[in-house]
Amino acid sequence: MRIIETVAELQAQSLAWRLAREQVGFVPTMGALHAGHISLVTAARAANRRVIASVFVNPTQFNDAADLDSYPRDFDGDARMLRDAGVDAVFHPGVAEMYPAGGPATRVVPGAAATGFEGADRPGHFEGVATVVARLFNAALPDRAYFGQKDAQQLAVIRALTRDLGFPIEIVGCPTVREADGLAMSSRNGRLDVAQREHALALVRALGTAQREFAAGARDPLAFGRNLEAALAGAPAVKLDYAGIVNPETFAVPAIVGPGDLAVVAAQVGAVRLIDNAAIGATDLIKYAAIESPRLVLLTQPAPPQGVMTWNA
Ligand code: PAF
């Protein structure tokens, strides 16, 4: 596995592969790798002759300096995992290589999919993501790029930027990988203590309850939002940031909840901010649902979409 630190070398390597008619898959990461990242590499391996991964903790997508400072870093461990997973080249640039002007002098401002939920809670976050992803795409020049569905709004923003800026890259969304008890894998989970790790299960329980409510006939996005909020508000040591139902492409709230929509939640557990989501119409998380549902609301008429999101409750 090659370790490459400059954009010029990565472009030359990727072009050489593509000129040899070898398709290139790309897995961008910020390191602190876990089985979720490796599932992206496995998907990339299955569809491409060559796989590039990047490890770059992008400062411009952190709107909180303490979060950036405490973000876990272990490049040697990451490189071992990537080598074992069959990656051909890992791109590990410094900040000056990615931002030669000292910062992103030219920025990519994402559209409407970036405004609510994570976008509202973390101002500037998606602009930082969109800018670095555009830069990474131009460095890795891949045929396909792989992103986890756990970061569902990021995936929506990247699909939109790829379409709007005309990158000739197929964006592949890969399923969230979960621990045996349902907790979505995240580089941040390692910062939870034993009690917080238990409290964090409230997120997947709330999402499982939303899937169960849809299966029972609930369709009102307002009611789903309230029930998700109630499920998380009642959980010890969990501070809700937002909960609601969205369309996965636009991140707009639907007038009436249907299959393919997403239930999304974000909460602070101690000092750790966690996000998760579940596909409505799927049943994979019902086994984790809270034993008792909050009030179940059945609705047959479309409901108005206003006010579904709950902010910093
Ligand atoms: O999902 C991540 O790890 C990051 O947001 C990404 C896409 C690598 C951009 O820094």
Side-chain angles (χ1 to χ4, degrees):
M1 182 180 78
R2 282 193 70 188
I3 296 178
I4 296 176
E5 294 182 349
T6 66
V7 170
E9 273 177 282
L10 186 65
Q11 286 170 333
Q13 177 63 90
S14 185
L15 280 174
W17 284 330
R18 293 188 64 169
L19 283 170
R21 297 188 181 279
E22 297 181 332
Q23 293 199 322
V24 175
F26 178 46
V27 180
T29 83
M30 295 206 299
L33 302 182
H34 51 67
H37 296 107
I38 299 307
S39 75
L40 304 181
V41 172
T42 304
R45 269 257 70 92
N48 303 277
R49 174 73 183 84
R50 299 290 183 176
V51 177
I52 297 170
S54 63
V55 175
F56 177 64
V57 181
N58 173 34
T60 68
Q61 69 188 76
F62 288 82
N63 54 320
D64 174 355
D67 196 21
L68 173 61
D69 287 346
S70 63
Y71 201 82
R73 291 166 174 86
D74 171 19
F75 181 67
D76 292 343
D78 292 339
R80 271 194 301 277
M81 285 176 77
L82 294 172
R83 184 178 296 113
D84 292 349
V87 164
D88 296 286
V90 57
F91 181 47
H92 184 46
V95 174
E97 179 67 15
M98 289 301 281
Y99 298 119
T106 303
R107 294 167 185 270
V108 177
V109 180
T115 51
F117 299 93
E118 286 301 288
D121 260 21
R122 303 177 68 189
H125 169 67
F126 284 124
E127 188 174 305
V129 170
T131 302
V132 81
V133 166
R135 178 102 175 105
L136 288 167
F137 281 178
N138 279 329
L141 303 171
D143 293 282
R144 300 184 185 85
Y146 296 77
F147 297 88
Q149 278 164 358
K150 185 176 90 65
D151 295 310
Q153 194 171 5
Q154 169 173 281
L155 181 58
V157 167
I158 290 168
R159 284 193 196 285
L161 104 86
T162 303
R163 178 198 63 211
D164 295 344
L165 299 185
F167 284 106
I169 298 172
E170 181 187 342
I171 303 300
V172 183
C174 298
T176 300
V177 178
R178 295 181 182 278
E179 307 280 2
D181 59 7
L183 186 69
M185 287 199 183
S186 164
S187 304
R188 296 165 189 263
N189 291 353
R191 288 161 48 202
L192 297 167
D193 66 25
V194 175
Q196 290 165 343
R197 168 80 184 59
E198 184 61 31
H199 297 320
L201 294 175
L203 276 75
V204 70
R205 285 194 192 114
L207 293 171
T209 305
Q211 284 188 338
R212 190 173 68 197
E213 289 172 0
F214 184 80
R219 297 292 183 267
D220 175 5
L222 284 167
F224 275 97
R226 279 195 302 268
N227 289 350
L228 284 163
E229 183 184 353
L232 288 162
V238 173
K239 186 174 163 295
L240 177 72
D241 279 345
Y242 61 73
I245 303 287
V246 298
N247 173 295
E249 298 294 322
T250 62
F251 261 69
V253 176
I256 188 157
V257 179
D261 286 334
L262 282 184
V264 294
V265 292
Q268 292 279 146
V269 183
V272 183
R273 188 167 185 282
L274 298 176
I275 62 172
D276 200 354
N277 64 78
I280 291 296
T283 55
D284 55 322
L285 302 187
I286 292 182
K287 59 179 177 284
Y288 306 115
I291 311 292
E292 276 181 41
S293 285
R295 189 169 48 89
L296 177 67
V297 179
L298 300 176
L299 195 89
T300 50
Q301 296 301 312
Q306 302 93 328
V308 177
M309 296 176 283
T310 56
W311 304 103
N312 299 313

